[in-house]
Every structure is written in C-alpha cells, then in structure tokens.
Amino acid sequence: MLGVLGGMGPMATVDFMAKVVRNTPAACDQDHIPMVVCSAANIPDRNAALRGQGADPLPAMRDALRRLEAAGATCIAIPCNTAHLWHCALQSETPILILHIVDAVTSELTSRQGDCVGVLGTTSTIEGHLYQERLSQKGLFSRAPDAGGQAEVMRAIRLVKAGQLAQATEILRAQAEALVAAGCSDVVMACTEIPVALATVEGELRTKLVDATEALARACIRACKAEAPVSTPALAA
C-alpha cells in the first residue's frame, strides 16, 4: 500500500494522487494501487525553516510518517521536492522505502536527448543542490533561473498555493521559455506546485517539460506492482 506524506501543499498532493491513478494500467477498481494519505498541511514551511526564519518541519513530517506506518503503508512518497532535503533524516527512522523524487526524475531523463537540464523549483531546492548533484552523477549539467527569475518562480509558487493559477502560469511559462532559450533541452518542473500551473501549456514547450510529480507517481506504481503478490490460478477440481 502506497503511503503519501502530503499536504505540502494540499493541491499538489491531490495532483500527485490523480497522476498515480492516471498512470496505473487498470481495467477495474481492483487493479489500482491502494493508497493511504496524510495531508499534513500543518507541517511548517520548509523554505522558511531553511532560511532560519521558521520552525523545523522534521518533527511534523516524522509524525506524518508514523501515521502512515500505523496505517499499513509498505512504501512512501513525498509529493514535495523541497521536503526531500529531509529525505535522509526520515528514511533513517523507518525500514519502509521512501521513494526519492529526484531519482524518479533522473531515471526518466536518461531516455531524453540533451545534456543541459533546466530546473524550476524553490530557492531552497536550488540552493540545497537537491537536483544538481544527482543530475551530475548522470552526466547532466543543470541550469536554474538567475536571481530575478528565481524570485519570480517563488512568487508563482506562492500564487499557486493561494489558488491564483492564471498569473502563476504566465510567470512560470516565461521562466521555462527563458531556460530553453539559454540552451536547456529539458526543463524539470521541480516543485509540485509548478505542474499544476503549467498543466495547460501546449506546443513545443510542453515537449520539453519534465513533470517531477508524474515521474514520482510512475516510480511509485513500479514499486507497488513489484511488491504485489502474484495470484495463482486455482486448479480445476
């Protein structure tokens, strides 16, 4: 059973769950993956904590982890990129596999062309080198927006959290196009709010966008299907 440590933010959690359902090959309800969700919207702001301006989110994330363990989760996903800066701390406290969103993304990037990858994410995700290190291990160079562009990305993420999608879409589209113009063959939407805002983008830019949320959803499906027992047909009497 997939455990979802969510609430960071709630809309991104719902988007992730929808992508798990949409990517699961299923002909009936029973073919889908059982999920238990803790939408822990009370988890303190991760970016504020990393700037030393807010409470440590780890205790609240640990509490959500315990709830998922108690509910019977056999693997866990965290549909928040910045929260993965605490991935090691959380994984050290449980024997249950916590899938890593960046590993899910890098495994999908290996099938795409190009060696320069743009990263649109929170300032904490960028400054914490969450993507850069894993991408470099795959021989990929990464590029983020400049300081002004990064400030705009953060403004757009806050707009998504506030439900103001139209303005967020305009900002994020411009920043993604700027990364493509700078030579990036792909642009990772490395904050789970960003795919929500760019869901309606079409054309050439759509082909260059890599949805971290969707990559994590597909990785979760593979993990859950791998652990599912194989049924044996009953022998005829």
Side-chain angles (χ1 to χ4, degrees), residues 3-188:
V4 182
L5 203 169
M8 303 174 283
M11 191 182 299
T13 300
V14 173
D15 181 54
F16 168 74
M17 293 172 64
K19 285 169 179 171
V20 171
V21 173
R22 195 160 59 241
N23 281 277
T24 302
C28 61
D29 293 346
Q30 292 73 26
D31 289 338
H32 284 278
I33 293 168
M35 283 188 275
V36 57
V37 182
C38 182
S39 186
N42 62 314
I43 295 174
D45 185 275
R46 283 67 59 202
N47 291 284
L50 289 164
R51 293 194 305 269
Q53 298 173 355
D56 182 1
L58 183 57
M61 286 195 284
R62 185 187 295 120
D63 180 63
L65 173 62
R66 297 290 174 249
R67 292 171 184 265
L68 294 173
E69 288 176 324
T74 55
C75 63
I76 291 172
I78 307 174
C80 171
N81 286 263
T82 306
H84 281 72
L85 292 169
W86 286 270
H87 180 277
C88 288
L90 287 170
Q91 185 65 84
S92 69
E93 297 201 16
T94 181
I96 300 172
L97 172 65
I98 304 176
L99 290 96
H100 200 294
I101 195 167
V102 185
D103 290 340
V105 171
T106 55
S107 68
E108 297 204 356
L109 282 171
T110 57
S111 64
R112 300 171 74 106
Q113 300 296 319
D115 57 5
C116 181
V117 178
V119 180
L120 287 178
T122 67
T123 301
S124 294
T125 291
I126 301 301
E127 293 181 350
H129 298 280
L130 185 66
Y131 274 81
Q132 293 93 316
E133 292 178 1
R134 280 177 162 80
L135 289 173
S136 66
Q137 290 171 7
K138 298 289 186 180
L140 297 170
F141 172 75
S142 59
R143 181 188 296 274
D146 60 21
Q150 186 58 40
E152 283 292 279
V153 171
M154 288 301 296
R155 183 163 74 93
I157 290 169
R158 290 191 290 270
L159 287 167
V160 176
K161 289 181 180 291
Q164 300 177 42
L165 293 183
Q167 191 175 356
T169 299
E170 182 180 346
I171 294 168
L172 292 167
R173 184 202 301 269
Q175 292 304 318
E177 289 174 342
L179 287 173
V180 172
C184 296
S185 56
D186 299 288
V187 177
V188 180

